[in-house]
Amino acid sequence: DCENIFRTFQQAYVGKDHCEVPPEAYDPLFALAPIDTPVDTAMFWSKTKTVVHNYVNKNKGCFVTMEDTLLGSVLDDVDWCGQVGSSETFEGCPEWNYCVNNPKRSFWTRGSAKFAEAAKGVATVMLNGALDAPFDASSIFGKTELPRLNSTTVSKLTVVLVMPKHPKSDCSDVFFKELLNRLDSKIGFECNSHMRRERFPEEE
């Protein structure tokens, strides 16, 4: 139920220093509200948040992002943290890169891992062709999600490379070698370019 989920969520960070909330602190929360995605619908992204969510919203039922899951939809674009000696939840918390184990970053790190582990069939990732290197090994997709795609449940990874009017990369670029080195060798791979006529927004 919702009250139990909220209490379990708070237990991860309330009363704790805002730099001492590891991803594992959210394990009870994800055990209570596990992530499950239909076959062939898992959609990952890196530096294409606006584009990918516009696309998913226009194609309801075809794809699911982490932000479309129960917990992800509630906490997307929300800040929260605790404070030692307090039972309150605070806003105006440390930025994403302020420290590794801050409540928001740890939640999305753990949630992204669970989302990747739940992927089945064909998984898709939308990358930004306006960048010199669309695949970033240090991103959540590169570091957390990609290594957790398992060939026992995922048959193929499809890259959708979103191309602006003047792209800086394409599907033949060398950056895919690094991606493939991190992908389970038993998982198939393909890359498709998708032209985007309007101005490419600044992405996360």
Side-chain angles (χ1 to χ4, degrees):
D1 62 76
C2 293
E3 289 187 6
N4 193 19
I5 290 174
F6 184 63
R7 282 196 301 269
T8 304
F9 167 65
Q10 288 184 309
Q11 288 169 4
Y13 66 89
V14 165
K16 300 178 182 179
D17 183 281
H18 51 230
C19 285
E20 295 183 4
V21 181
E24 296 78 16
Y26 291 99
D27 281 349
L29 177 65
F30 285 105
L32 196 60
I35 293 174
D36 184 39
T37 58
V39 176
D40 299 339
T41 62
M43 171 70 84
F44 302 91
W45 57 270
S46 183
K47 307 221 170 24
T48 53
K49 184 176 182 180
T50 301
V51 178
V52 78
H53 287 120
N54 286 342
Y55 182 79
V56 169
N57 288 336
K58 290 177 181 177
N59 296 273
K60 289 288 188 182
C62 295
F63 296 101
V64 177
T65 67
M66 172 57 193
E67 293 79 15
D68 297 313
T69 64
L70 173 62
L71 296 175
S73 63
V74 172
L75 295 172
D76 190 26
D77 294 326
V78 176
D79 288 324
W80 70 90
C81 60
Q83 183 174 301
V84 175
S86 173
S87 60
E88 300 295 319
T89 294
F90 298 89
E91 298 179 358
C93 302
E95 296 292 330
W96 181 273
N97 290 321
Y98 180 78
C99 54
V100 174
N101 287 331
N102 71 64
K104 183 175 181 177
R105 182 169 178 167
S106 289
F107 168 81
W108 288 105
T109 297
R110 203 55 163 181
S112 295
K114 297 292 185 182
F115 184 74
E117 290 166 359
K120 298 180 286 290
V122 178
T124 306
V125 59
M126 192 172 285
L127 301 180
N128 190 338
L131 303 176
D132 291 323
F135 174 68
D136 179 0
S138 66
S139 67
I140 282 188
F141 173 68
K143 184 167 63 175
T144 302
E145 295 170 331
L146 182 64
R148 286 177 170 79
L149 296 180
N150 192 320
S151 60
T152 61
T153 53
V154 177
S155 58
K156 182 171 71 172
L157 175 65
T158 297
V159 170
V160 176
L161 191 60
V162 184
M163 311 290 280
K165 186 176 181 180
H166 302 291
K168 294 184 178 180
S169 54
D170 59 42
C171 283
S172 65
D173 279 0
V174 68
F175 82 89
F176 283 117
K177 290 183 179 179
E178 186 175 9
L179 188 157
L180 288 169
N181 285 337
R182 294 169 179 265
L183 179 66
D184 185 325
S185 61
K186 296 179 181 178
I187 295 177
F189 175 81
E190 72 172 348
C191 177
N192 300 311
S193 299
H194 176 75
M195 293 302 297
R196 179 178 172 84
R197 294 183 179 179
E198 61 266 44
R199 187 179 71 84
F200 213 103
E202 184 176 341
E203 295 289 355
E204 299 180 11

